[in-house]
Amino acid sequence: LKEKNMKLLFLMILLIDPSALLGKWTLTFAEANFNLVNSAAFKATPKAQQDEILEVNELYLNNAYYEFKKDTVYWADVNAREKEVVFKKGKWMIIGDTLRIFDYNKIYTYNYLIKLNGREDELQSRMIFPNGDVARSKETFEKDD
């Protein structure tokens, strides 16, 4: 029984080959952003506030990427308050189907449930919140050549 559990654990750890993530991945679709701008709540928001939300959304959609190197990851995020792109760096690892990113700037760990599609040139991720809940909305990234 113990040996069987060890084999299962080993298989789960190898669920996603980390080398498949190496390289640069550019955001192609952010479901949460799409749902937000198409929501009734957004449509009921004053025009000036809508414009601000759209500006921040646009910044994110046009700049978001992850670049995975050996054990370091580089990525772009958006500081919504300052309306500017922020370039970040951290350490990454894969455990089963979970991508863990350790943000060097914030001393914070981000967890994502990930799935590689097709010929491993499309990456889908859903954030795992600190309480363990998985986001309903996914982000889709395409591997750059």
Side-chain angles (χ1 to χ4, degrees), residues 6-18:
M6 289 301 287
K7 283 182 183 174
L8 182 63
L9 180 64
F10 187 71
L11 282 173
M12 286 173 60
I13 289 171
L14 294 178
L15 207 52
I16 293 177
D17 177 7

Side-chain angles (χ1 to χ4, degrees), residues 10 15 37-38 43 55-56 58 64 72 79 82 84 92 94 99 111 114 117 120 130 136:
F10 187 71
L15 207 52
V37 298
N38 289 298
K43 289 175 173 67
E55 184 181 348
V56 170
E58 213 47 39
T72 305
N79 176 331
E82 302 294 324
E84 65 183 19
W92 69 282
I94 291 181
L99 168 64
N111 292 295
I114 61 169
N117 291 334
E120 298 190 338
R136 284 193 306 264

Side-chain angles (χ1 to χ4, degrees), residues 34-52:
F34 177 81
N35 292 342
L36 172 71
V37 298
N38 289 298
S39 70
F42 178 79
K43 289 175 173 67
T45 304
K47 173 92 171 87
Q49 206 174 339
Q50 282 183 2
D51 290 345
E52 280 199 24

Side-chain angles (χ1 to χ4, degrees), residues 74-86:
Y74 302 87
W75 74 97
D77 202 355
V78 171
N79 176 331
R81 196 172 295 131
E82 302 294 324
K83 293 190 191 102
E84 65 183 19
V85 178
V86 180

